[in-house]
Amino acid sequence: MWNIECGAGLSRVAPVLTVMLVLTVSAFAGAAGPPAQTKVFISGQGGYDTYRIPALLLTQKGTLLAFCEGRKDSQSDAGNIDLLLRRSLDNGQTWEPVQVLVDDGGNTCGNPCPILDRRTGAIVLLITKNNGSEDEAQIMRGTAAPRTAWLTISRDDGLTWSTPADISAQARKPEWRWYATGPCHGIQLASGRLMAPCDHSTGPKPDEIHSHVIVSEDGGASWKIGGVLDGRTDECSVVELADGSIYMNMRSNRGQHCRAYAISRDEGMTWSPVADDASLIEPVCQGSVLRLSSEKTGGQNSVLFSNPASKRRENMTVRMSLDECKTWTAGRPLWAGPAAYSDLAVCNDGQIGCLYECGEKHPYETITFARFAAEWLTASGN
C-alpha cells in the first residue's frame, strides 16, 4: 500500500514510506543500447482501478515528474478520478511514492499539463475538473455543466503544491462546453510566455471540436486565450521552432488516420489553416512533440514526436525531425503491443524519456517510462 498524506492546501509524500513500487523490466541501458523500461503506475495497484493520461516534465533541478489520472473505480473517463504524481531523482531509474495532488471527492480531476517557468524554476500545472456523475457526451451536448480549468503551482521541485485555483473565467469562453488542458507538457517560449495546448467543444458535432492554446506572460498568475484552430481538431502538443514560430501537432477527427498540424507566427494568437501529415499515422489518439536540441544552444535542430503509429491503439513509436517538423524519420517502436497516450522529456543526463500507456492485452494496464539515447532512435537508418 502507498502511504500518502493529503492536506487541504498542500500535498506531500508521507514521512513513513511503506513501499517503493519500482518495477524495472529491463536494466538501464548504455548510451546507444535498447530502451530501459520501468512500470511507474500499474493498474489495479495502490487503490486505483486504472491509471491513465500521462504527462512528463523535467524540472530546473533535474527531477523528472510523472503525472497521471488515478481512476478509482473503472477505466471510464468519468467518475471518481484523482490527479497523481511520482518524482524521480535519478533520471527515471527509481521513482518516489505517489503524491495525490488533487482529490475532489467523487468528481473528475485530470488532463495534466505541466509547464516549467525557467525564470523562477516554478512548475505550473494546469488541470481540468468536472462532476464525476456527468460524462463527456453529456457535457458536449450541453445537458451537463461545462468542464472547468484549474491551476496549481509548485515552487519546491514538485514536493508541495498550492491549493488549486479556478482559472475558467480566463481560460475558457462561456459558450465552450468540453474543455481539456494538454494532456501533455506545455512550453515556455524564448520570450518568456507560457503556453498550454488545450482543446474545447461548442457542441457535440465533430466540426464543433477545436484545438486552442492559452498563454501567460506572468508565470501563470493570469491567462488569456490564444488562437483557435479549425474544427475536427482535438488534444494537441506544441513546440517552438528555430525561427520563433510555433508548431502545433493535433489529434485529428478529419478521417485521414494521420496527425494534423498548424503553424503560428505570432506566439499562438493566430494559426495557419490545419493540414494533414500523412507520414504520422494515428488511430485518433493523443501524441506529444518536444524539442530535443537546438543550434542556438550548440546542438542540432531536432524535434521528437511520440504516438501509437497505427490505425489502432498499438505500436508506441518515437520519431525525430531534423528539419523543424517538415519531415520525420520512420521512428523506432518502444512497444509493439497495445499502447495509447504518451509524453516526452529530455532527462537530466541527456537521454530521452517517454512516459506512455501500454499493456499486453489492452493499452491501459500500465503507465511505463522508457529511457533511451538519441543514437538508438536514429540507428539503422531510422
Side-chain angles (χ1 to χ4, degrees):
M1 178 181 293
W2 292 320
N3 192 340
I4 302 167
E5 291 179 348
C6 302
L10 299 176
S11 305
R12 65 176 68 239
V13 181
V16 179
L17 306 180
T18 58
V19 70
M20 284 284 287
L21 179 60
V22 181
L23 298 179
T24 304
V25 299
S26 66
F28 265 60
Q37 308 230 26
T38 303
K39 297 178 182 179
V40 182
F41 299 94
I42 301 174
S43 293
Q45 297 188 7
Y48 292 92
D49 178 272
T50 304
Y51 298 97
R52 285 218 57 202
I53 319 301
L56 186 65
L57 187 76
L58 181 73
T59 73
Q60 200 148 278
K61 293 182 179 180
T63 301
L64 280 173
L65 304 181
F67 302 88
C68 78
E69 295 180 4
R71 301 184 172 188
K72 277 284 187 183
D73 304 316
S74 72
Q75 288 185 14
S76 174
D77 293 338
N80 184 350
I81 298 176
D82 301 336
L83 189 72
L84 310 179
L85 167 66
R86 295 189 77 179
R87 302 167 73 245
S88 174
L89 306 180
D90 55 10
N91 298 302
Q93 296 183 70
T94 62
W95 295 85
E96 293 180 349
V98 171
Q99 297 182 55
V100 179
L101 299 189
V102 186
D103 179 351
D104 192 20
N107 292 326
T108 298
C109 309
N111 279 96
C113 181
I115 309 172
L116 172 64
D117 187 342
R118 297 186 301 271
R119 297 170 296 190
T120 65
I123 301 112
V124 176
L125 178 63
L126 294 147
I127 65 169
T128 57
K129 290 187 182 183
N130 58 272
N131 295 329
S133 60
E134 297 171 341
D135 62 21
E136 181 177 1
Q138 292 172 292
I139 295 170
M140 292 182 71
R141 288 196 303 268
T143 58
R147 243 187 176 196
T148 51
W150 296 72
L151 174 74
T152 177
I153 297 177
S154 175
R155 303 188 187 280
D156 58 7
D157 215 43
L159 286 171
T160 63
W161 296 81
S162 64
T163 302
D166 189 343
I167 61 167
S168 300
Q170 304 170 50
R172 60 180 303 281
K173 296 181 180 181
E175 65 269 24
W176 291 0
R177 298 177 182 178
W178 181 256
Y179 194 98
T181 47
C184 66
H185 67 277
I187 62 173
Q188 184 174 38
L189 307 186
S191 66
R193 168 178 283 187
L194 304 185
M195 178 178 290
C198 304
D199 66 87
H200 68 275
S201 76
T202 56
K205 299 177 182 178
D207 288 337
E208 297 173 306
I209 304 170
H210 302 265
S211 302
H212 73 277
V213 297
I214 58 174
V215 298
S216 174
E217 313 293 352
D218 52 16
S222 63
W223 295 84
K224 64 181 178 181
I225 300 168
V228 174
L229 282 295
D230 300 339
R232 295 179 180 262
T233 57
D234 201 339
E235 295 164 331
C236 52
S237 186
V238 290
V239 66
E240 186 169 16
L241 301 180
D243 65 0
S245 59
I246 311 301
Y247 168 86
M248 178 184 284
N249 186 293
M250 291 163 279
R251 171 173 169 162
S252 171
N253 296 287
R254 292 155 62 94
Q256 302 302 308
H257 281 295
C258 66
R259 301 291 291 181
Y261 71 95
I263 303 291
S264 173
R265 304 194 183 279
D266 55 8
E267 296 197 336
M269 303 316 293
T270 62
W271 294 88
S272 67
V274 173
D276 300 316
D277 188 337
S279 70
L280 299 181
I281 187 173
E282 74 151 9
V284 186
C285 194
Q286 179 265 3
S288 176
V289 290
L290 177 81
R291 177 158 298 282
L292 174 61
S293 58
S294 170
E295 291 178 353
K296 294 179 181 178
T297 55
Q300 182 181 25
N301 284 337
S302 54
V303 177
L304 303 170
F305 171 73
S306 63
N307 84 323
S310 172
K311 292 185 179 180
R312 299 189 299 177
R313 292 193 171 190
E314 62 185 9
N315 195 35
M316 180 56 62
T317 298
V318 180
R319 306 172 190 262
M320 183 183 293
S321 174
L322 300 176
D323 57 8
E324 298 299 274
C325 305
K326 294 182 180 69
T327 62
W328 300 90
T329 63
R332 299 194 74 176
L334 296 176
W335 183 260
Y341 284 39
S342 62
D343 201 8
L344 294 160
V346 178
C347 302
N348 200 40
D349 62 359
Q351 296 231 322
I352 299 165
C354 183
L355 187 70
Y356 69 102
E357 300 173 337
C358 68
E360 296 285 347
K361 296 181 179 179
H362 65 80
Y364 316 126
E365 295 172 18
T366 75
I367 293 178
T368 290
F369 177 75
R371 178 175 175 266
F372 53 94
E375 290 81 3
W376 173 82
L377 187 60
T378 55
S380 303
N382 287 286

